[in-house]
């Protein structure tokens, strides 16, 4: 792979034509049980027909359909006792609206070994909606460009608004005052917030990620983005909502371990002095196209239209219902033998974060909740009164949810425009499948399986041939697929791309090894993550991975987790391709293709504290293609063997690449259009560094929500203190991917300091500006950086991995690149996001150098590059190649 990490994707994200997936296709991978759409057909009798124009007093026949889903359910209940074939509920094309979920329990199961099939018209034309149409738009007097409409009857709160299928942005902006934390909130530098219309509607957002240049790290760990509402603002006193504030600022720490919470996940209080990254949900923040605000007291919705939007004819949907489908049974009487095909679930919200609980995040959408959550929701047994088992952290709910359900089959469906997690297969769900479905435009986690609360594990769940992309949209610590304590689950042949944080997250409960204690026992075993294609992930937050696992995965290498045959590439944030985090034991990482990571392809090593022998958590890392190049060996149970250094995808056997991701017969799922095209979402976390006497370097997190059309470029805008524009600089998306910064020149230091915003563009136009960077004035960079340290080389066959640690002393500027000089005369320029983020975090760097001849001894010199120039090099001699 080139040193700039500009390798092409191994599979397209989406193709142009829209194709319908044939319902009769069967899964072809060995070991996969056929999905509901692949079972032997039965004659269908006593079917029920539903139409948005039907009549609930009708009999539900094809000529007299009913209108409501609850009415259809009730008709089904009367027909399954003596069922002799599959019974299908035919849902005609159209939108089915309800503020309440379709509630299914054991009475709604199939009978006598046959299924009840809820069958839509496919391709997003049968929509189960929790939305309310917002109509009657008028221009707002005195506010050019702003429109308002009466809130729909019954809509008292929402967190999501959509215009013609495109998500709006809750009004947001910079915090207009300086904040000093207090026991109950903040003291503000002025009384600005107290004069807003409804300050108690507003919400502070604490975006984390690694500290970089002058980008700040807020939040509760690099992987989090907590949110807390304001309870009141009077004068300069800001009172924050409880218990969110206490749960985010008072988490109990071990007395003898300052900074280590009894939950062992993240800090005990908001970092960076409790500074908020931004503020949302106030009338006063309406200043950019696409922003909206619901004034609950006035029952009025405000919106600033984007270019080309006409609110008089647009379909404007406010998400109202918090759940669209709730399938639940009991351990003794599960819901069973029900299938859902060709449906779209959309326009649901989640209101808990808007209330006193807020969103005090732990990881992957889990939160600390309750009046004493900060004191008791630590790992069981590590604090007096600690909640058991497994800390009882609160999981984000699914807008579509199942628990204690068996033989549930979901296929050819779409989960989009949702405000919580998309789909939840919760406790006691077993022998079920999710296939050929799309998950996108979801506020939090895409798909959740099981939990970590000690309830009956989800088991024998197969998640295959799905496309999960462009998420999370709101709770940015969410992941594509969240799998808790489960058994015999298979996550295979999915494509996960354009994600804000990790793609797949497995397990939990390994945290005690941070204090030298064994991982918390759990019921997980025999889970597999195989043959998935994962790319463009961790686009916003850090300390995650393409496939992340935490805690015990089984009882032995035989029944532990298997991560095999996956292709994982082009990670943005600092992390690992396959991340074996605290307590991850008995995991096999074999036959994967892993490249384009910032920090490591597979990591990390952890001590196994179940005995006193000082061994490592048993892990096998075998036969992978990677760039990391760690040597073969057995490090006290951590076995590394047979791995291959790759200089690029061309080095990898073609069948390994071809077998990852959605299977060929099902790739039409990539063509499914789930929303109208639009301009991209704005970039995030903009930072600057000096680039000389008249210029700044600008970095930012890219737009992973591209509006349905690839991002083609970015433009940085330097702003003077009065808000006027001093200069601009543009870069193509390809060049930004390669170097991770843009140079913004022609600045006069006398006009500084400057703040920088960034916009993204695609075929449909330019995004709104990002939130602005911290202010900075260009300064002359004089001193050169020091030399990198710890240079070493890891040998392959015709390629070598060159590794080093960033210099401690960078002179007067930040590292923007490295230069590798090879003894054969080549000079390799190293750029990329990992160059920027590993320097302040002191993490190691590595690059593969290919095109080497066997039997030749090469020498490599590595030097750091800053605005001041190229610093001194460090030499890493190597032995001859085999």
């Amino acid at each position: 792979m080139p040193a700039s990490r500009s390798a092409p994707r191994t599979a397209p994200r989406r193709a142009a034509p829209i194709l319908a997936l044939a319902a009769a296709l069967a899964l072809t991978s060995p070991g996969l049980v056929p999905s509901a759409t692949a079972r032997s057909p039965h004659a269908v009798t006593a079917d029920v027909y539903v139409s948005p124009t039907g009549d609930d007093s009708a009999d539900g026949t094809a000529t007299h359909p009913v209108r409501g889903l609850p009415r259809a359910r009730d008709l089904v209940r009367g027909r399954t006792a003596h069922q002799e074939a599959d019974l299908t509920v035919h849902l005609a094309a159209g939108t089915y609206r309800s503020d309440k979920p379709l509630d299914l329990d054991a009475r709604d199961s199939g009978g006598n070994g046959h299924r009840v099939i809820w069958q839509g018209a496919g391709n997003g034309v049968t929509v189960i909606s929790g939305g309310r149409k917002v109509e009657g738009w008028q221009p707002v007097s005195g506010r050019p460009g702003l429109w308002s409409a009466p809130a729909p009857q019954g809509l008292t709160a929402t967190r999501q608004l959509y215009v013609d299928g495109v998500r709006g942005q809750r009004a947001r902006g910079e915090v207009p005052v300086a904040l000093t934390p207090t026991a109950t909130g903040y003291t503000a530098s002025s009384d600005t917030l107290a004069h807003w219309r409804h300050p108690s509607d507003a919400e502070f957002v604490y975006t984390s990620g690694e500290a970089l240049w002058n980008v700040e790290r807020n939040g509760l760990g690099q992987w989090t983005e907590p949110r807390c509402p304001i309870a009141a603002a009077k004068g300069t006193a800001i009172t924050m909502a409880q218990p969110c504030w206490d749960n985010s600022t008072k988490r109990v720490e071990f007395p003898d371990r300052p900074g280590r919470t009894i939950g062992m996940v993240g800090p005990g209080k908001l970092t960076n002095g409790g500074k908020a990254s931004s503020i949302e949900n106030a009338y006063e923040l309406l200043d950019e196209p696409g922003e909206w605000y619901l004034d609950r007291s006035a029952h009025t919705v405000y919106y600033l239209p984007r270019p080309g939007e006409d609110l008089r004819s647009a379909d404007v949907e406010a998400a109202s219902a918090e759940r669209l489908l709730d399938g639940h049974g009991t351990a003794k009487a599960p819901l069973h033998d029900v299938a859902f095909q060709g449906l779209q679930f959309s326009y649901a919200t989640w209101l808990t974060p808007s209330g006193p609980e807020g969103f005090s995040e732990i990881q992957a959408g889990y939160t600390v909740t309750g009046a004493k959550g900060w004191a008791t929701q630590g790992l069981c047994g590590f604090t007096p009164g600690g909640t058991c088992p497994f800390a009882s952290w609160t999981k984000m709910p699914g807008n579509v949810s199942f628990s204690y359900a068996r033989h549930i089959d979901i296929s050819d469906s779409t989960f989009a425009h949702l405000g919580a997690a998309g789909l939840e297969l919760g406790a006691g769900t077993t022998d079920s499948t999710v296939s050929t479905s799309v998950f996108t435009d979801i506020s939090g986690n895409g798909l959740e399986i099981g939990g970590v609360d000690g309830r009956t594990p989800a088991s024998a769940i197969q998640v295959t041939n799905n496309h999960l992309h462009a998420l999370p949209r709101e709770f940015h610590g969410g992941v594509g697929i969240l799998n808790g304590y489960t058994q015999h689950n298979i996550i295979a042949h999915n494509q996960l791309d354009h994600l804000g944080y990790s793609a797949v997250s497995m397990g939990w409960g390994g945290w005690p090894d941070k204090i030298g204690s064994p991982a918390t026992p759990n019921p997980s075993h025999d889970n597999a993550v195989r043959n998935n294609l994962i790319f463009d992930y961790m686009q916003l937050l850090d300390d995650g991975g393409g496939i992340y696992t935490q805690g015990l995965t089984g009882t032995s290498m035989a029944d532990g987790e298997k991560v095999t045959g996956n292709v994982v590439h082009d990670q943005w944030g600092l992390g690992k391709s396959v991340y074996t985090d605290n307590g991850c034991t008995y995991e096999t990482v074999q036959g994967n293709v892993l490249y384009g990571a910032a920090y490591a392809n597979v990591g990390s090593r952890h001590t196994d504290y179940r005995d006193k022998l000082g061994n490592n958590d048993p892990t096998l890392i075998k036969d992978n293609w990677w760039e990391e190049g760690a040597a073969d060996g057995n490090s006290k149970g951590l076995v590394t063997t047979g791995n291959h250094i790759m200089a690029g995808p061309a080095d990898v056997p073609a069948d390994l690449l071809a077998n990852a991701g959605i299977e060929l017969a099902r790739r039409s799922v990539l063509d499914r259009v789930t929303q109208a095209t639009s301009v991209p979402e704005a970039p995030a976390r903009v930072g600057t560094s000096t680039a000389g006497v008249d210029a700044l370097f600008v970095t930012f997190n890219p737009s992973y929500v591209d509006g349905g059309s690839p991002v083609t470029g970015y433009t940085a805008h330097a702003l003077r203190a009065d808000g006027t524009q001093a200069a601009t600089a543009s870069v193509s998306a390809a060049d930004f991917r390669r170097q991770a910064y843009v140079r913004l020149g022609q600045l006069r230091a006398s006009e500084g300091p400057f703040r920088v915003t960034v916009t993204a563009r695609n075929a449909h136009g330019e995004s709104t500006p990002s939130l602005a960077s911290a202010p900075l004035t260009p300064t002359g960079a004089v001193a050169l950086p020091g030399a990198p340290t710890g240079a070493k080389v890891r040998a392959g066959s015709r390629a070598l991995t060159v590794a080093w640690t960033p210099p401690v002393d960078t002179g007067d500027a930040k590292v923007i690149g490295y230069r590798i000089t090879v003894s054969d005369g080549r000079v390799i320029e190293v750029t990329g996001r990992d160059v920027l983020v590993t320097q302040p975090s002191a993490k190691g760097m590595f690059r593969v150098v290919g095109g080497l001849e066997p039997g030749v001894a090469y020498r490599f010199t590595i030097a750091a590059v800053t605005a001041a120039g190229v610093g001194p090099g460090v030499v890493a001699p190597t032995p001859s190649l085999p």
Side-chain angles (χ1 to χ4, degrees):
M1 175 180 183
S4 63
R5 300 190 186 272
S6 57
R9 295 173 179 167
T10 57
R13 177 177 170 188
R14 53 173 76 93
I18 300 175
L19 303 175
L21 184 66
L25 286 174
L27 295 175
T28 56
S29 289
L32 294 185
V33 175
S35 69
T37 56
R39 291 177 177 173
S40 299
H42 298 280
V44 177
T45 61
D47 286 359
V48 175
Y49 291 80
V50 194
S51 170
T53 59
D55 184 348
D56 277 350
S57 64
D59 58 7
T61 60
T63 54
H64 298 90
V66 297
R67 182 173 184 173
L69 303 187
R71 172 60 175 155
R73 173 204 61 197
D74 293 345
L75 289 175
V76 169
R77 284 181 178 176
R79 304 182 186 187
T80 56
H82 304 289
Q83 190 175 353
E84 296 181 358
D86 285 353
L87 189 159
T88 300
V89 181
H90 300 269
L91 302 178
T95 299
Y96 298 83
R97 298 178 182 273
S98 179
D99 285 338
K100 297 180 179 179
L102 173 61
D103 194 288
L104 303 178
D105 58 32
R107 294 171 293 173
D108 305 302
S109 304
N112 301 318
H114 303 293
R115 297 173 301 157
V116 174
I117 303 171
W118 292 76
Q119 178 68 61
N123 201 29
V125 297
T126 300
V127 181
I128 312 301
S129 172
R132 290 177 177 266
K133 291 179 70 70
V134 184
E135 300 174 307
W137 292 94
Q138 297 290 334
V140 175
S141 177
R143 285 290 307 270
L146 185 64
W147 289 63
S148 70
Q153 184 177 2
L155 182 73
T156 58
T158 185
R159 295 181 65 91
Q160 293 84 30
L161 186 80
Y162 302 84
V163 179
D164 288 330
V166 178
R167 181 182 290 235
Q169 169 64 56
R170 286 205 311 170
R172 70 167 181 173
E174 300 174 15
V175 181
V177 292
L179 300 172
T180 302
T182 67
T184 58
Y186 297 97
T187 299
S189 57
S190 74
D191 62 354
T192 299
L193 294 181
H195 293 288
W196 284 10
R197 283 190 180 188
H198 305 294
S200 60
D201 282 352
E203 178 177 292
F204 285 142
V205 183
Y206 306 87
T207 305
S208 194
E210 292 287 349
L212 170 64
W213 291 0
N214 63 1
V215 183
E216 297 174 325
R217 178 198 295 175
N218 300 319
L220 289 161
Q222 300 94 305
W223 55 92
T224 67
E225 190 182 62
R227 295 165 171 263
C228 273
I230 295 174
K234 295 181 180 180
T236 60
I238 298 175
T239 303
M240 299 299 290
Q242 293 287 16
C244 187
W245 184 247
D246 282 353
N247 287 337
S248 303
T249 61
K250 296 172 66 174
R251 296 177 185 176
V252 176
E253 298 179 353
F254 287 103
D256 58 341
R257 295 181 174 89
R260 175 68 69 200
T261 64
I262 50 99
M264 305 179 206
V265 191
K269 60 184 178 181
L270 293 165
T271 55
N272 198 21
K275 184 173 182 179
S277 305
S278 60
I279 185 170
E280 286 188 3
N281 203 40
Y283 177 86
E284 291 76 9
L285 298 171
L286 287 165
D287 61 356
E288 292 291 348
E291 290 188 334
W292 65 275
Y293 168 68
L294 169 63
D295 188 326
R296 295 181 295 164
S297 297
H299 304 290
T300 301
V301 182
Y302 294 92
Y303 181 70
L304 270 172
R306 300 178 179 95
E309 290 179 336
D310 185 349
L311 295 182
R312 292 166 295 189
S313 59
D315 175 24
V316 182
E317 302 279 349
S320 178
E322 294 194 75
R323 188 160 288 178
L324 301 174
L325 192 161
D326 188 1
H328 56 92
T330 65
K332 292 183 177 180
L335 171 68
H336 62 88
D337 293 291
V338 185
F340 303 86
Q341 303 171 359
L343 300 171
Q344 177 165 321
F345 298 93
S346 293
Y347 306 124
T349 189
W350 179 36
L351 298 179
T352 297
S354 297
E357 292 286 2
F359 188 73
S360 183
E361 190 170 25
I362 283 283
Q363 183 172 330
Y366 288 101
T367 54
V368 175
T369 59
K372 288 291 185 180
W374 59 272
T376 63
Q377 285 182 295
L379 293 179
C380 177
F382 286 95
T383 185
T387 48
C388 301
F390 316 122
S392 295
W393 288 303
T394 302
K395 184 174 65 173
M396 178 185 299
N399 290 135
V400 176
S401 178
F402 294 89
S403 61
Y404 293 98
R406 176 168 48 86
H407 295 151
I408 303 300
D409 298 309
I410 299 168
S411 63
D412 305 335
S413 293
T414 297
F415 298 81
H417 318 318
L418 297 173
L423 171 62
E424 177 186 2
L425 302 179
T429 304
T430 186
D431 294 302
S432 297
T433 66
V434 181
S435 63
T436 53
S437 294
V438 172
F439 296 77
T440 191
D441 190 20
I442 295 170
S443 288
N445 298 318
L447 167 61
E448 296 180 340
I449 309 171
V452 296
D453 55 5
R455 300 171 69 196
T456 305
S459 63
I461 308 295
Q462 295 186 9
V463 179
T464 59
N465 291 295
N466 302 286
H467 186 200
L468 302 97
H469 67 98
L471 60 89
R473 296 295 304 273
E474 184 177 2
F475 308 108
H476 293 121
V479 302
I481 299 175
L482 178 67
N483 183 92
Y485 293 149
T486 63
Q487 301 167 357
H488 298 286
N489 286 357
I490 296 173
I491 300 170
H493 287 291
N494 303 286
Q495 180 169 313
L496 300 98
D497 62 87
H498 292 79
L499 304 168
Y501 181 52
S502 297
V504 179
S505 182
M506 305 284 290
W508 201 250
W511 315 114
D513 82 355
K514 293 182 177 181
I515 61 168
S517 295
T520 305
N522 72 73
S524 291
H525 60 82
D526 290 292
N527 292 312
V529 183
R530 66 186 189 222
N531 304 115
N532 299 285
L533 174 60
I534 298 169
F535 60 92
D536 288 348
Y537 60 100
M538 291 181 62
Q539 298 279 289
L540 181 60
L541 300 182
D542 292 276
D543 198 4
I547 300 169
Y548 172 94
T549 302
Q550 221 269 355
L552 294 162
T553 74
T555 62
S556 67
M557 292 303 298
D559 70 1
E561 182 180 307
K562 305 296 187 297
V563 177
T564 61
N566 303 282
V567 174
V568 183
H569 67 92
D570 287 329
Q571 169 189 300
W572 187 256
L574 190 67
K576 292 98 173 176
S577 308
V578 177
Y579 195 162
T580 57
D581 204 359
N582 297 94
C584 180
T585 304
Y586 301 129
E587 179 166 325
T588 297
V589 182
Q590 184 170 3
N592 303 282
V593 181
L594 313 170
Y595 63 95
Y599 183 34
N601 289 135
V602 181
S604 304
R605 179 202 66 77
H606 292 283
T607 301
D608 186 352
Y609 291 102
R610 294 176 301 169
D611 56 36
K612 306 292 185 181
L613 303 178
N615 292 321
N616 293 320
D617 293 324
T619 306
L620 176 63
I621 304 170
K622 181 179 181 182
D623 296 339
N624 300 285
W625 291 82
W626 62 358
E627 298 173 312
E628 181 177 340
D632 286 359
N634 184 338
S635 178
K636 298 181 179 180
L638 173 60
V639 178
T640 304
T641 182
N643 301 289
H644 313 276
I645 293 175
M646 56 180 289
D651 293 345
V652 180
D655 60 334
L656 287 183
L657 299 176
N659 196 41
I662 295 171
E663 294 171 287
L664 183 61
R666 288 164 173 73
R667 287 186 183 167
S668 60
V669 71
L670 296 172
D671 306 326
R672 194 175 301 157
V673 175
T674 57
Q675 67 176 49
T677 52
S678 67
V679 300
E681 192 171 82
R685 303 192 78 232
V686 180
T688 55
S689 175
T690 184
V693 295
D694 65 347
L696 295 174
F697 291 126
V698 182
T699 190
F700 49 90
N701 288 65
S703 302
Y704 65 89
V705 178
D706 61 16
S709 177
V711 173
T712 56
Y714 300 94
T715 300
H717 309 260
L719 307 176
R720 303 180 183 91
D722 62 3
T724 59
Q725 185 166 279
T728 65
S730 295
V731 64
S732 70
D735 283 346
F736 181 71
R737 175 189 289 267
R738 175 179 55 82
Q739 65 186 26
Y741 66 86
V742 56
R743 187 178 187 276
L744 208 166
Q746 298 182 331
L747 298 173
R748 295 182 180 179
S750 61
E751 297 180 354
F754 301 96
R755 306 185 76 193
V756 177
T757 63
V758 182
T759 54
R761 60 185 177 274
N762 65 8
H764 302 283
E766 194 164 21
S767 74
T768 56
S770 67
L771 296 174
S773 70
L776 186 68
T777 300
T779 57
V782 179
L784 292 173
T789 61
K792 64 187 71 172
V793 174
R794 302 159 183 165
S797 55
R798 299 181 66 88
L800 296 172
T801 297
V802 182
W804 65 94
T805 302
V808 175
D809 179 12
T810 61
D812 299 309
K814 306 297 184 183
V815 173
I816 59 170
Y818 293 93
R819 179 171 294 174
I820 301 176
T821 303
V822 189
S823 56
D824 62 8
R826 283 184 289 171
V827 176
I828 300 171
E829 301 294 343
V830 177
T831 59
R833 180 65 164 194
D834 57 340
V835 168
L836 309 186
V837 76
T838 54
Q839 193 275 316
S841 59
K843 301 294 186 182
M845 287 284 303
F846 60 88
R847 282 297 188 273
V848 173
V849 179
L852 304 177
E853 294 297 327
V856 176
Y858 292 87
R859 186 179 62 195
F860 303 89
T861 304
I862 308 105
V865 180
T866 69
V870 182
V874 59
V875 178
T878 70
S880 300
L881 271 71

